[in-house]
Amino acid sequence: MSRVARGSTINLAGAVVAAMANFGLTVLVTRLTSQSTAGIFFSVTSLFLLATSLGQLGTNTGLVYFLSGARARGELHRYASYMRVALRPVLVVGVVMAVAMFVFAGPLARVLASGHEAEFTSYLRAVAIFIPCAGLLNLAVSGTRGLGTMRINALLDQMSRPVLQVGLVLLAIVFGGRSAVLAVGWAVPYVILAGVGWRIWTTMRVRAGGATVDHEFRPTKDFWRFSVPRALASVAQVAMQRLDVVLVGALAGIPEAALYAAATRFLALGQMAGGAVSQSVQPHLGETLARKDVGAASELYQVSTAWLVCLTWPIYLLLIVFAPTVLDIFGSQYDAGSMVVIILCSSMLLGTACGMVDMVLTMAGRTSWNLVNVLIAFAINLGLDLLLIPSHGITGAAIGWAVAIVAANVIPLLQVGVFLRLHPFGPGTITALVLASVCFGAVPVVGRALIGTGWWSLFLSVAVGFVAYLVGLRWCRKVLRLHELLALRGRGRPRPAAASRRRPGEERRSHEADGHR
């Protein structure tokens, strides 16, 4: 748990920077450009992220799964073999998708951005050429996570990329006006960081003891048997987050897409905080399940869920109570998105209470189960969107996504409980749920009833709730396992290279000791 806590802390710092940068980017675009330009920008970047997710072919999760398993078994010499299997297909698919997006940008614009075809086409072609670079960056970061460190993921993907995007987009707005330079500024950081990330992965692999390549080891079949279902599931998951913006633009108009993108941007604040814990837990969960250590896996699942609730529930509860107030940040024309915020944040309360349940299935090797679950949720989302967006606009899109979020969490929760005998509802999780509900649910409701819905009410509610929350966290720190975070001061991260020098018997005893601890 100390290793997970260390990784969670690093990722949390990165998530805070990423959340602030992405939120600032949304404010820049909505405040400094027209609503139609903002709608085009958010629609195009959503298509880019969809294409990037598809082009990963599930290798981001596959690398973490197989590299963490190799670490647990002391097979450090196989690191390069797994990366070699993933690299070539990702590059080929990335180039093909970049060419296809560039060539078919015009027809896509006529379908997705009626009345804004020329601008949409120029934006889409501007970002298309950067798809292979995004694939390389994701591969490098996933490789370092598989080696057991969260630091590179935090520094490159969570901190450097969003901050660079904000700075370059601001320069593009100031000097480029309404041209596609805005989209180029958003995409250029992928080129810079892909080169940096690949260099870091190579250096880390050598230092970890994986400098020697095992040419006789060919994990292709096993790797793709695991990764392909995860690839489809990952695309469906990203589609549930990003396709709504595109569909709203196509069915309700580009200005409505800007409104929906701004309203759903608050959801990303909680998702990034949750991702800080999830990405840290993933390789350790893979190690424990590779050793068939159900007790350690259960501990990881329950404690990480408690941390997840502690981080995300305050955000979602405050957004539910003060939705109209916080949307004023983007401008008065964006107030109509308050119902979207309320609907989606309510569904995320349930989703985060289930913990990282889909990751538990994936790290247990049940990627086909995860794929079926995600496809069911995606079908629900797409069906409700097509049914409700034409008549209810952005509220219909929010309903479709909310129902999909509930399905995507409840179905795997039942599977994990029945077949793996794991559940997220330990003492820490229950404590976190109650504490967050009181401090950021009940207190803001009282504040809003007494003072109103303005900014003063929000600030006072946050101040009172935060003080009460800190007191509660300190009082309950042992049941929440927060002492694991406090105990990190002065500890160094175990060096992978040291593990590579152990004899086989020592490696086995070390992992057994880890499991008992």
Side-chain angles (χ1 to χ4, degrees):
M1 289 310 306
S2 294
R3 294 165 63 199
V4 174
R6 184 182 300 109
S8 298
T9 304
I10 294 170
N11 270 342
L12 180 58
V16 170
V17 174
M20 293 175 62
N22 285 318
F23 191 79
L25 178 64
T26 305
V27 174
L28 281 178
V29 174
T30 54
R31 285 283 188 177
L32 300 181
T33 67
S34 65
Q35 196 166 347
S36 61
T37 299
I40 292 171
F41 176 81
F42 293 129
S43 296
V44 166
T45 53
S46 294
L47 284 174
F48 177 91
L49 293 172
L50 276 171
T52 300
S53 176
L54 179 61
Q56 282 303 111
L57 304 176
T59 55
N60 47 350
T61 303
L63 283 173
V64 175
Y65 177 80
F66 283 98
L67 290 178
S68 62
R71 289 175 64 232
R73 295 185 296 270
E75 300 171 346
L76 308 184
H77 58 289
R78 293 180 172 175
Y79 285 171
S81 299
Y82 289 118
M83 181 61 79
R84 189 172 61 249
V85 168
L87 177 61
R88 191 171 300 172
V90 168
L91 282 179
V92 171
V93 172
V95 171
V96 169
M97 295 187 68
V99 173
M101 184 176 287
F102 191 92
V103 172
F104 295 104
L108 283 172
R110 288 191 289 273
V111 174
L112 302 176
S114 179
H116 304 273
E117 290 89 346
E119 191 174 4
F120 192 95
T121 299
S122 63
Y123 272 59
L124 197 56
R125 286 177 173 167
V127 301
I129 59 177
F130 296 97
I131 291 176
C133 298
L136 278 177
L137 174 60
N138 287 335
L139 277 179
V141 169
S142 300
T144 60
R145 287 199 292 125
L147 295 184
T149 177
M150 301 296 112
R151 184 171 51 194
I152 308 306
N153 177 75
L155 290 176
L156 294 187
D157 199 45
Q158 293 180 313
M159 294 182 181
S160 300
R161 180 180 56 80
V163 170
L164 284 173
Q165 285 175 328
V166 171
L168 293 176
V169 166
L170 179 59
L171 289 175
I173 292 175
V174 172
F175 296 104
R178 294 163 56 91
S179 69
V181 176
L182 185 66
V184 173
W186 180 85
V188 161
Y190 285 104
V191 179
I192 301 170
L193 297 177
V196 175
W198 196 254
R199 177 63 178 171
I200 291 174
W201 148 256
T202 304
T203 303
M204 285 186 60
R205 175 178 64 83
V206 172
R207 289 180 178 176
T212 303
V213 179
D214 188 352
H215 293 286
E216 296 181 358
F217 177 63
R218 301 183 182 278
T220 306
K221 185 176 180 180
D222 291 337
F223 186 88
W224 291 115
R225 184 187 295 118
F226 175 90
S227 299
V228 168
R230 185 56 194 160
L232 298 175
S234 178
V235 171
Q237 286 174 328
V238 175
M240 284 194 290
Q241 298 178 14
R242 297 290 179 174
L243 189 60
D244 278 8
V245 177
V246 179
L247 288 177
V248 168
L251 300 176
I254 286 295
E256 289 291 297
L259 180 59
Y260 186 77
T264 56
R265 193 63 62 193
F266 289 104
L267 209 64
L269 297 176
Q271 289 174 328
M272 288 182 180
V277 177
S278 300
Q279 290 178 345
S280 178
V281 170
Q282 187 178 16
H284 302 294
L285 191 61
E287 288 183 48
T288 57
L289 291 173
R291 297 195 304 262
K292 309 297 183 184
D293 192 343
V294 178
S298 178
E299 180 186 17
L300 281 169
Y301 186 23
Q302 293 185 2
V303 175
S304 62
T305 302
W307 292 350
L308 196 64
V309 171
C310 286
L311 289 172
T312 59
W313 271 47
I315 299 172
Y316 294 134
L317 289 168
L318 283 171
L319 289 173
I320 290 172
V321 178
F322 289 101
T325 304
V326 295
L327 280 171
D328 283 340
I329 295 174
F330 302 119
S332 58
Q333 68 270 34
Y334 289 89
D335 290 348
S338 58
M339 186 54 64
V340 172
V341 175
I342 293 171
I343 293 171
L344 290 175
C345 287
S346 298
S347 67
M348 287 304 296
L349 292 177
L350 174 62
T352 51
C354 295
M356 52 205 72
V357 62
D358 58 337
M359 184 185 295
V360 175
L361 274 181
T362 300
M363 290 295 102
R366 311 295 176 89
T367 53
S368 59
W369 294 16
N370 178 248
L371 172 60
V372 171
N373 297 339
V374 173
L375 290 179
I376 291 173
F378 178 65
I380 292 172
N381 189 14
L382 183 60
L384 289 177
D385 278 355
L386 296 176
L387 178 66
L388 297 177
I389 289 176
S391 57
H392 295 82
I394 59 175
T395 302
I399 293 172
W401 191 5
V403 175
I405 290 172
V406 173
N409 284 277
V410 172
I411 295 174
L413 182 67
L414 295 175
Q415 293 170 335
V416 165
V418 172
F419 297 102
L420 301 180
R421 304 298 181 186
L422 299 173
H423 66 84
F425 305 113
T429 304
I430 303 301
T431 302
L433 292 172
V434 173
L435 190 60
S437 298
V438 171
C439 297
F440 293 100
V443 170
V445 167
V446 172
R448 177 174 173 171
L450 295 178
I451 305 175
T453 59
W455 285 104
W456 278 112
S457 178
L458 174 59
F459 291 148
L460 290 175
S461 297
V462 170
V464 174
F466 185 68
V467 171
Y469 200 52
L470 288 180
V471 173
L473 290 176
R474 179 172 177 79
W475 184 267
C476 304
R477 63 186 182 278
K478 289 187 177 180
V479 69
L480 293 171
R481 301 292 293 272
L482 298 180
H483 60 287
E484 301 283 357
L485 297 172
L486 299 176
L488 295 182
R489 182 175 298 177
R491 287 188 187 177
R493 182 174 61 85
R495 294 179 62 85
S500 67
R501 291 192 295 267
R502 292 174 181 156
R503 291 187 299 273
E506 292 175 345
E507 184 75 16
R508 182 176 63 254
R509 289 192 295 273
S510 172
H511 289 311
E512 290 172 354
D514 284 344
H516 291 307
R517 182 169 69 251

